[in-house]
């Protein structure tokens, strides 16, 4: 066998091994640098220091370990490993800090929401009182029946403008009654069902009935009833309670019904 | 002593040293438990494989378990340590995302309330 190719191949082998070692070293050097940059960033952020001090300390310890190891030969895997762990702790610290900031913000907004709810309730109450006897007549069609579907309250057609989904202010009194009832009966939940007459496109009617039911649900939610207690359904022109042939019948069919659960929170099945 | 024998001696010494290194690394049983807990906790708050960190955590945990079976304890420990932090980062990311969604929701409600109050007054 010729010696030259053998020597050549040994040289090649050694050379590639050296290259590989070099590449490993470069990688670990890079990992160390980026871990260091990550750590400097969290160390300089007072918010992160305040909310996640332990994670920042761990990041620092692991970085120091990686730096110590980097002075030894053949430790590039370990250096990369500890640099990686350090970077992860820096990232975790950043996330924890962001979470805490969000939670603090949420608590502030929640207080603001309670304040506005109270103000809105007072505004609606004083509005309802001013309307006085007249308002009582306005909602006379508001009727409550106890049937197989449970307790059902019907909000009549005059509480909405034609084709619109926003509740008129004449609905204040009714809505306040419902809110009060739900606050006294914290286990009860409601399903709000919208209905229209058969005039017009049935897809549009379906949408309008849903929007009107949602509008009632929004007001209840704005006045402090938890969203989890409110379901919303739109039935369009299905389930009329009167003939759609007369103006009176159609007015009867345009309605929003509030179905109350029993006092254990069990609702009758949706239609 | 011939050169050949010298080289053989060196190999034996190296092999013993590497064996010794292996024996020095105890099985990272506690670390694997910790990692499994971290992955379970991240899953519990809703982290899925769609989250790159979570996918990494699960892949590394599987690798660590395979290394345990091969008795490559050092590899197992390193994979498990990385997987633990990957899972914890994924968990933290999910929680932050959720709190951001909550913020958007509360802000929508506040806007609606302000509008309603404007209309009521």
């Amino acid at each position: 066998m010729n010696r030259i190719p053998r020597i050549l191949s040994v040289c090649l082998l050694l050379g590639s091994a050296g290259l590989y070692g070099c590449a490993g070293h470069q990688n670990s050097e890079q990992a160390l640098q980026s871990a260091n940059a990550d750590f400097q960033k969290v160390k300089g952020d007072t918010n992160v220091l305040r909310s996640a001090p332990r994670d920042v300390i761990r990041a620092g310890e692991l970085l120091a370990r990686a730096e110590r190891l980097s002075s030894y030969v053949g430790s590039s895997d370990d250096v990369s490993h500890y640099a990686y762990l350090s970077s992860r702790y820096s990232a975790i610290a950043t996330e924890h800090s962001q979470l805490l900031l969000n939670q603090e913000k949420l608590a502030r907004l929640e207080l603001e929401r309670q304040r506005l709810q109270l103000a809105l309730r007072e505004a609606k109450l004083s509005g309802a009182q001013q309307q006085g006897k007249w308002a009582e007549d306005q909602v006379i069609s508001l009727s409550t029946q106890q049937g197989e579907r449970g307790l059902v309250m019907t909000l009549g057609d005059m509480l909405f403008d034609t084709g619109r989904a926003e509740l008129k202010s004449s609905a204040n009194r009714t809505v306040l009654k419902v809110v009060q009832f739900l606050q006294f009966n914290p286990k009860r939940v409601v399903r709000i069902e919208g209905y229209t007459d058969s005039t017009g496109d049935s897809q549009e009617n379906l949408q309008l009935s849903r929007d009107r039911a949602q509008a009632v649900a929004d007001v209840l939610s704005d006045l402090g009833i938890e969203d989890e207690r409110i379901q919303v359904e739109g039935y369009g022109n299905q389930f009329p309670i009167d003939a759609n042939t007369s103006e009176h019948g159609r007015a009867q069919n345009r309605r929003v019904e509030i179905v109350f659960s029993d006092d254990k929170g069990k609702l009758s099945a949706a239609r | 002593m011939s050169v050949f024998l010298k080289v053989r001696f060196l190999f034996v010494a190296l092999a013993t040293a590497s064996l010794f290194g292996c024996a020095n690394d105890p099985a990272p049983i506690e670390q694997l438990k910790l990692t499994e807990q971290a992955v379970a906790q991240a899953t519990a708050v809703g982290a899925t494989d769609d989250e790159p960190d979570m996918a990494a955590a699960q892949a590394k945990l599987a690798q660590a378990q395979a290394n345990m079976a091969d008795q490559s304890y050092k590899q197992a420990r390193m994979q498990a340590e990385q997987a633990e932090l990957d899972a914890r980062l994924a968990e933290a990311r999910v929680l932050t995302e959720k709190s951001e969604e909550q913020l958007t929701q509360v802000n929508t409600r506040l806007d609606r309330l302000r509008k309603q109050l404007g209309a009521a007054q």
Side-chain angles (χ1 to χ4, degrees), chain B residues 90-110:
Chain B
E91 180 195 349
R93 287 226 162 99
V94 169
L95 291 177
T96 312
E97 256 166 49
K98 277 188 185 163
S99 73
E100 252 139 44
E101 277 162 28
Q102 276 177 316
L103 272 178
T104 320
Q105 209 181 7
V106 173
N107 273 323
T108 318
R109 283 165 140 229
L110 278 175

Side-chain angles (χ1 to χ4, degrees), chain B residues 45-65:
Chain B
V45 301
T48 59
D49 280 355
D50 298 340
E51 192 89 19
D53 294 317
M54 192 60 186
Q58 265 157 349
K60 286 177 191 170
L61 175 59
Q63 183 59 51
Q65 280 157 345

Side-chain angles (χ1 to χ4, degrees), chain B residues 70-92:
Chain B
D70 296 344
Q71 299 189 331
S72 339
Y73 294 140
K74 186 181 175 190
Q75 276 306 311
R77 176 178 57 77
M78 282 163 91
Q79 291 293 329
E81 280 173 355
Q82 295 197 3
E84 181 201 343
L85 295 197
D86 290 341
R88 283 173 57 182
L89 181 56
E91 180 195 349

Side-chain angles (χ1 to χ4, degrees), chain A residues 57-67 82-83 85-86 89, chain B residues 85:
Chain A
I57 289 171
R58 287 296 288 145
E61 287 169 356
L62 288 159
L63 181 65
R65 194 162 182 181
E67 271 164 354
Y82 289 110
L85 295 185
S86 170
Y89 265 114
Chain B
L85 295 197

Side-chain angles (χ1 to χ4, degrees), chain A residues 28 37 46 66-67 107 132 139 155 180 225:
Chain A
S28 70
T46 46
E67 271 164 354
V139 288
L155 307 185
Q180 204 177 33
I225 303 301

Side-chain angles (χ1 to χ4, degrees), chain A residues 117-223:
Chain A
Q117 272 176 359
L118 222 72
L120 182 63
R121 203 174 303 174
E122 267 162 27
K124 287 211 182 288
L125 202 63
S126 73
Q129 274 158 359
Q130 277 163 23
Q131 284 160 6
K133 189 84 191 84
W134 183 76
E136 198 104 53
D137 295 339
Q138 278 278 301
V139 288
I140 206 127
S141 78
L142 162 92
S143 58
T144 314
Q145 319 131 350
Q146 177 97 49
E148 57 190 62
R149 301 171 61 214
L151 202 62
V152 180
M153 183 184 250
T154 306
L155 307 185
D157 161 55
M158 76 284 291
L159 300 179
F160 294 93
D161 286 324
T162 313
R164 306 281 299 173
E166 294 82 30
L167 259 182
K168 294 205 283 196
S169 61
S170 49
N172 283 351
R173 200 185 178 80
T174 316
V175 167
L176 281 169
K177 266 196 215 167
V178 175
V179 169
Q180 204 177 33
F181 179 77
L182 286 174
Q183 277 170 342
F184 282 132
N185 297 273
K187 285 214 170 131
R188 287 192 199 251
V189 299
V190 288
R191 182 171 57 242
I192 301 173
E193 307 175 339
Y195 301 89
T196 64
D197 60 28
S198 63
T199 329
D201 179 65
S202 67
Q203 269 310 310
E204 275 169 29
N205 280 336
L206 195 63
Q207 192 55 48
L208 180 62
S209 67
R210 233 178 246 149
D211 290 347
R212 285 187 165 178
Q214 187 61 52
V216 175
D218 286 351
V219 178
L220 292 186
S221 152
D222 289 342
L223 289 170

